[in-house]
Amino acid sequence: MKLLIDSLIAKVDQSWKSMHAVCGLRTCQNTLIMRSVPESRVGIRMGKLWYCSIDCFANAARARFSALSVARTAEMPHSPRLSIGLVMLSKGYLSNEQLRSAVAQSQLSGEELEVVLLQLGLASEWQLAAARAVQWGYPVLGRDRISQSVDADIPVTLLRTFSAVPLHYSATAKRLLLGFVHRVENSLLHSVEQITGCTAEPCFITPTEFREQMERLTTAPNYTEVVVEDALTPAQTAKAVGGFALEIRAREASFASCRNYAWMRLSGKRRTMDVLFQGRNTEVERKNETFLASGQHIRYLR
Ligand SMILES: [Zn+2]
């Protein structure tokens, strides 16, 4: 008899599950009815999981953030094998003599070789971009191809941090061409792919092209970017996430990590919000800081 009841319960449970989504949070406090309402009505979807309420979603997000911060510490920076000077030499942009004097000057002044080469008029920005492209094994963008404004739903904070800018963005073709100035930041490419679902392809551009294209960049309609600069405790993170999700009536969420940022995208019926939780500054970022224009960071007030 006991067996019969058990199998009956299992059957009912199964048909219930096939008709209704069950909250993805294992510790969900809501009653069975509350956490199993038809998923089309309420709740937030994150990948394959669905959460019955903002509270459950925020708690799950908190766990996701701590997993990301652990993964971030294990990341190894990638450096090209050939120095920029050797590439410039091999491409015939510099003579041995010119390279030697530029290297000596760079050691004397403590400035980067590339800066010295530009100051001495020994190299153009485009030659340096072409040399970086060789270093990294990616193409350099032809001048004629940058002239279109791009509607971007990618956080400007990330673009400025890694000196990268969208040159071409096709939502229908699911393809994004990103121009980098200093180095190709793989974590940016990966996170953009995870969040937007587009294939992100890198190429190299000059600092001038970067600035010009950043000016052409327009914010996609109904898109908001928020940067949380404070280091939050897990409880504060959950509270902040819950607040943002409520604000835009989020129905979907996705996560990615990009160097020392945790990037969360919340999508509601009418609005999309990207929230960046900032970690500690890394070496790369300090190097790129000269490229940071006046930030439009919003501080999260506790
Ligand atoms: Zn729940």
Side-chain angles (χ1 to χ4, degrees), residues 22-30 34-35 50-53 55-57:
V22 172
C23 183
L25 189 76
R26 250 189 279 164
T27 54
C28 177
Q29 297 292 307
N30 290 331
M34 272 301 292
R35 58 193 275 228
W50 172 82
Y51 298 92
C52 74
S53 64
D55 279 351
C56 287
F57 164 69

Side-chain angles (χ1 to χ4, degrees), residues 62-82:
R62 180 171 91 170
R64 188 68 79 93
F65 278 129
S66 13
L68 285 181
S69 58
V70 170
R72 277 202 299 273
T73 54
E75 245 172 55
M76 286 294 285
H78 168 71
S79 292
R81 277 184 304 133
L82 280 175

Side-chain angles (χ1 to χ4, degrees), residues 116-266:
V116 173
L117 286 171
L118 286 172
Q119 280 170 352
L120 296 176
L122 290 175
S124 67
E125 275 194 350
W126 195 84
Q127 285 174 330
L128 287 169
R132 280 190 206 104
V134 171
Q135 266 190 311
W136 289 83
Y138 293 113
V140 62
L141 198 84
R143 290 182 173 279
D144 49 319
R145 287 186 58 198
I146 324 176
S147 57
Q148 44 183 318
S149 65
V150 173
D151 238 13
D153 59 352
I154 295 168
V156 171
T157 305
L158 295 181
L159 297 176
R160 290 201 185 280
T161 301
F162 301 112
S163 304
V165 64
L167 301 168
H168 180 76
Y169 196 1
S170 166
T172 43
K174 293 253 160 220
R175 187 175 164 264
L176 168 72
L177 183 64
L178 269 178
F180 287 86
V181 177
H182 303 292
R183 52 182 292 139
V184 170
E185 181 60 41
N186 283 313
S187 68
L188 180 62
L189 294 174
H190 291 153
S191 58
V192 163
E193 289 188 343
Q194 275 175 279
I195 298 275
T196 66
C198 286
T199 306
E201 292 164 26
C203 72
F204 276 90
I205 53 170
T206 68
T208 303
E209 286 166 342
F210 171 74
R211 277 190 292 273
E212 287 172 359
Q213 184 66 6
M214 282 303 275
E215 274 170 30
R216 283 189 208 109
L217 217 60
T218 47
T219 310
N222 306 316
Y223 173 80
T224 319
E225 174 184 344
V226 176
V227 181
V228 180
E229 290 176 319
D230 300 288
L232 305 183
T233 63
Q236 287 167 333
T237 305
K239 202 176 157 200
V241 166
F244 293 133
L246 187 67
E247 190 184 327
I248 70 149
R249 295 167 189 269
R251 303 298 304 273
E252 257 188 83
S254 46
F255 281 87
S257 74
C258 180
R259 195 61 72 159
N260 64 326
Y261 287 96
W263 176 5
M264 174 182 73
R265 170 162 295 183
L266 295 169

